[in-house]
Amino acid sequence: MKVSVKIDYACRVMAELARLHGSGTLAQIDHLAQTEAVPANFLAQILGKLRTHGLITSRRGSLGGYVLARSPEEISLYDILLAVEGECLHLSGNFQGRSGRRLKQVWGEISADLGKKTKGYTLNQLATKNPTEMYYI
Amino acid sequence: MKVSVKIDYACRVMAELARLHGSGTLAQIDHLAQTEAVPANFLAQILGKLRTHGLITSRRGSLGGYVLARSPEEISLYDILLAVEGECLHLSGNFQGRSGRRLKQVWGEISADLGKKTKGYTLNQLATKNPTEMYYI
DNA sequence: AAAATCAATGAAGGTTTCTGTTAAGATTGA
DNA sequence: TCAATCTTAACAGAAACCTTCATTGATTTT
C-alpha cells in the first residue's frame, strides 16, 4: 500500500488554500507551487481535478487564481482522495482464485476503515501556521 | 492510496498455504499459481520475499515446495505487507513546502491506524473453506 | 475596441516504477 | 545421471508519474 506523490501534493496545496481562505485573495498556481514545493505544471492538472469535483473554484485572467469552494472545516482528506484518485483505497487485485472473494471482502473492510479515518481530518486541522514563518529576515 | 496486485497475490497464496498447513504436504509453485490464479513466474519472486522474511520455508528438489514457517494464527496481513513491500504504508511524499511537515505527521497517524487494523487479520481468518468447492462435478 | 498580457486548460512526450516473462543456474530425490 | 523443483538475474511491456508545449479565456492598457 502506498500514498502517491500526487495525493500528497493535493493535500499540501489544499492546506495552503485553507490558510488563504477568507482573505479575499485568489491563490495563483505559481504561489501554490512555490509555497508547497510542487512542480507548477503538474499542479495545474491536480487543481483541475479538484475543481471538476467541486472542492475549489477558479478564475481566469490577470487577476485569476484558485479559492476553496467550501470552508476548510467542510473539506476532508477523504474528499481530496476521492477527487484526485476516484476512491479512497484503490484495489488492484482481480479477486480470482480460491481466496479472491475473501480477500476482496477484507480489503473492503480495510478501505471502509480508512474512509472513516480520513474523513476525520479536515483542512482546518491541516492548515496550522507553520512555525518557520516566524523566522522572517 | 492503493493496494498493489503483488500484495493481493501474496495474501491469496498465503491463504492457500494456510489451508494446507498441518497436512504435511509441500505446496509447489504450480499448484499455488493455479489455485489462486497468479502468474507462476511472478509468484516465484513473491515467494522469495516471503521466504527471506521468514514467513515461509522452502525445499528444493523433486519433492520440493513451500510451507508456512509458523502457524496461521501467528501470521498477519501486516506481516505479509512488511515482507513484500518493506512497510505497511509507503509514503511517497517529500514533505517539503509549508504543509509538508504536518502532512507527514498525518500520514504517519493513518499508517499507524492501518498497521493496527492489518495486524488484526491473521491467516486462519483468510483461509476459510471456499463455498464454490462444494460444487464439484 | 483592439492589442497585449496574464493565467487556466488541454494535449503530447519522457522518465521512472510496477508487473510479468525468459532463461540460466542450483539442489534434491530416484 | 536424469528429472523435478526452487533460486536468481536480466529483460520487456504496461502503467504511473512528472514535465513541457500549445491553446483558450479573461483582464487591462492604449
Side-chain angles (χ1 to χ4, degrees):
Chain A
M1 284 192 267
K2 82 178 216 190
V3 32
S4 70
V5 181
K6 208 172 183 175
I7 281 295
D8 193 55
Y9 285 169
C11 293
R12 301 219 304 259
V13 166
M14 287 296 275
E16 175 63 10
L17 282 173
R19 286 192 197 91
L20 298 173
H21 182 73
S23 71
T25 62
L26 301 193
Q28 295 165 1
I29 286 192
D30 282 347
H31 166 76
L32 294 172
Q34 284 182 25
T35 307
E36 296 294 351
V38 175
N41 298 91
F42 189 37
L43 177 53
Q45 296 177 27
I46 298 172
L47 289 169
K49 287 213 167 186
L50 294 171
R51 189 181 58 82
T52 57
H53 284 79
L55 298 186
I56 61 179
T57 59
S58 67
R59 183 174 152 188
R60 293 184 161 189
S62 68
L63 290 181
Y66 296 90
V67 214
L68 292 186
R70 312 194 288 269
S71 66
E73 307 87 57
E74 295 172 312
I75 300 179
S76 70
L77 218 147
Y78 179 81
D79 296 323
I80 301 175
L81 282 166
L82 224 61
V84 176
E85 297 197 334
E87 51 189 336
C88 179
L89 183 64
H90 185 68
L91 306 183
S92 316
N94 52 13
F95 311 117
Q96 296 174 352
R98 190 169 285 172
S99 311
R101 198 176 299 180
R102 175 71 177 124
L103 252 300
K104 179 172 189 172
Q105 189 184 10
V106 169
W107 293 126
E109 289 173 18
I110 291 174
S111 181
D113 202 61
L114 211 52
K116 250 185 221 164
K117 183 83 177 171
T118 51
K119 279 173 190 164
Y121 289 99
T122 56
L123 282 186
N124 55 320
Q125 292 175 284
L126 298 184
T128 56
K129 306 287 180 193
N130 190 325
T132 62
E133 282 189 24
M134 299 192 301
Y135 300 110
Y136 279 150
I137 300 178
Chain B
M1 283 190 266
K2 81 179 218 189
V3 33
S4 70
V5 180
K6 209 171 182 176
I7 281 294
D8 193 55
Y9 286 169
C11 293
R12 301 220 303 260
V13 165
M14 287 296 275
E16 175 63 10
L17 282 172
R19 286 193 196 89
L20 298 173
H21 182 73
S23 71
T25 63
L26 300 194
Q28 294 163 4
I29 286 189
D30 283 346
H31 165 76
L32 294 172
Q34 285 181 25
T35 306
E36 296 293 351
V38 176
N41 298 321
F42 190 34
L43 178 53
Q45 295 177 30
I46 297 172
L47 288 169
K49 286 213 167 183
L50 293 170
R51 187 180 59 82
T52 56
H53 283 80
L55 298 187
I56 61 179
T57 58
S58 67
R59 185 172 150 188
R60 289 182 165 187
S62 65
L63 291 182
Y66 296 90
V67 216
L68 291 186
R70 313 195 287 270
S71 66
E73 302 84 29
E74 294 173 313
I75 300 180
S76 70
L77 218 148
Y78 180 80
D79 295 325
I80 301 175
L81 281 166
L82 223 62
V84 175
E85 297 197 333
E87 51 190 334
C88 180
L89 182 66
H90 184 69
L91 306 183
S92 317
N94 52 13
F95 311 117
Q96 296 174 350
R98 190 170 288 172
S99 312
R101 197 177 299 179
R102 174 73 177 123
L103 252 298
K104 180 171 189 173
Q105 189 184 10
V106 169
W107 293 126
E109 290 173 19
I110 291 174
S111 181
D113 202 60
L114 210 53
K116 253 187 217 164
K117 183 82 178 173
T118 52
K119 279 174 188 164
Y121 289 99
T122 56
L123 284 187
N124 54 320
Q125 293 175 283
L126 298 184
T128 56
K129 305 290 180 191
N130 189 325
T132 63
E133 281 189 26
M134 299 193 301
Y135 301 111
Y136 280 149
I137 300 177

